[in-house]
Amino acid sequence: MAPDKRLSKKMAQKTKQLVDSKHMLKGITLSSFLESTIVPIPLEAVMLPLMQARRESLWHIAAMATLGCVIGAIFGYALGYYLFDLIGEWVISTFFSQDQFENVKNQMQQQGFWFVMTLGIAPIPFQVAMLAAGATKYSLPLFLLATIIARSLRYFGLAAAVYYAGDKAEQIIRRYKMKAIIGATLIVLLLWWGANTFL
């Protein structure tokens, strides 16, 4: 069986277990934490069928996914802040290149809040933003605010799609996901430009 099919089957099994579990909300929080720190796989693959199966809890699911990501963001920030000299080289060689990380660090120092917002919405591993924010000693409250806004847009947007589209949500999201991400990223970039130009 191909690796992507094995992963899809495994995700489907995990989703079914979560749907039937009384610890469903804790499970989605843990999954979100792991997705934002260790396992760079799209959480939407689990959240979408879960929300469709448990519509009475879809806003709670979005809230707990956001919470898990915020906890993960604090963890990643702390790693960058306190342990970057010890683990930074390993992380960069595992997930990124040195040039990519240096570019991210420069962006973080110049436009930290808006840069975190953009990375939080775009389909880019969020680990890079967390580590760079900590490594550059960027303001933790501003980092968390940007993380909460970006991830809330992502997860509550998913919940809204399920709320209004029901069983057709998956088809609609698959069809318009990239357009929605591009649109949201462009809005953030326009706000970023406006803040730099007029404020």
Side-chain angles (χ1 to χ4, degrees):
M1 188 181 289
D4 57 338
K5 289 187 178 179
R6 281 200 300 267
L7 181 60
S8 297
K9 189 175 180 181
K10 202 169 189 179
M11 296 285 278
Q13 291 171 345
K14 292 294 182 186
T15 301
K16 189 176 187 310
Q17 290 171 4
L18 268 179
V19 168
D20 298 332
S21 173
K22 62 181 180 180
H23 303 295
M24 180 263 295
L25 291 176
K26 292 179 183 176
I28 203 67
T29 305
L30 177 61
S31 297
S32 179
F33 171 82
L34 292 174
E35 187 258 353
S36 64
T37 54
I38 301 169
V39 189
I41 58 172
L43 188 61
E44 287 86 346
V46 173
M47 286 183 64
L48 186 56
L50 183 61
M51 285 177 167
Q52 288 178 321
R54 299 285 292 268
R55 288 184 202 175
E56 76 283 359
S57 301
L58 64 86
W59 304 111
H60 288 108
I61 293 169
M64 297 309 283
T66 303
L67 176 63
C69 183
V70 170
I71 295 170
I74 294 170
F75 177 78
Y77 181 96
L79 285 179
Y81 193 97
Y82 294 108
L83 298 176
F84 189 77
D85 290 340
L86 292 175
I87 65 165
E89 292 302 319
W90 174 81
V91 171
I92 291 169
S93 63
T94 303
F95 294 104
F96 325 104
S97 71
Q98 185 66 45
D99 289 342
Q100 285 175 321
F101 191 75
E102 287 302 321
N103 181 49
V104 168
K105 279 178 66 176
N106 291 335
Q107 293 292 336
M108 186 66 67
Q109 289 167 338
Q110 294 169 20
Q111 302 289 349
F113 181 84
W114 299 103
F115 189 63
V116 173
M117 282 266 290
T118 304
L119 288 182
I121 293 170
I124 297 169
F126 197 57
Q127 292 89 338
V128 67
M130 300 186 297
L131 288 168
T136 57
K137 310 295 191 286
Y138 183 70
S139 166
L140 180 59
L142 285 177
F143 169 70
L144 290 178
L145 178 61
T147 300
I148 291 168
I149 293 171
R151 291 301 181 168
S152 293
L153 285 171
R154 190 167 172 175
Y155 297 141
F156 281 93
L158 198 65
V162 173
Y163 182 81
Y164 288 109
D167 292 335
K168 294 181 179 178
E170 190 169 0
Q171 180 183 349
I172 291 170
I173 288 168
R174 192 181 296 118
R175 188 173 182 181
Y176 296 106
K177 181 180 177 181
M178 282 312 300
K179 290 179 182 178
I181 289 171
I182 291 168
T185 303
L186 286 174
I187 290 170
V188 171
L189 291 174
L190 283 171
L191 290 171
W192 181 351
W193 175 80
N196 283 321
T197 303
F198 300 109
L199 297 181

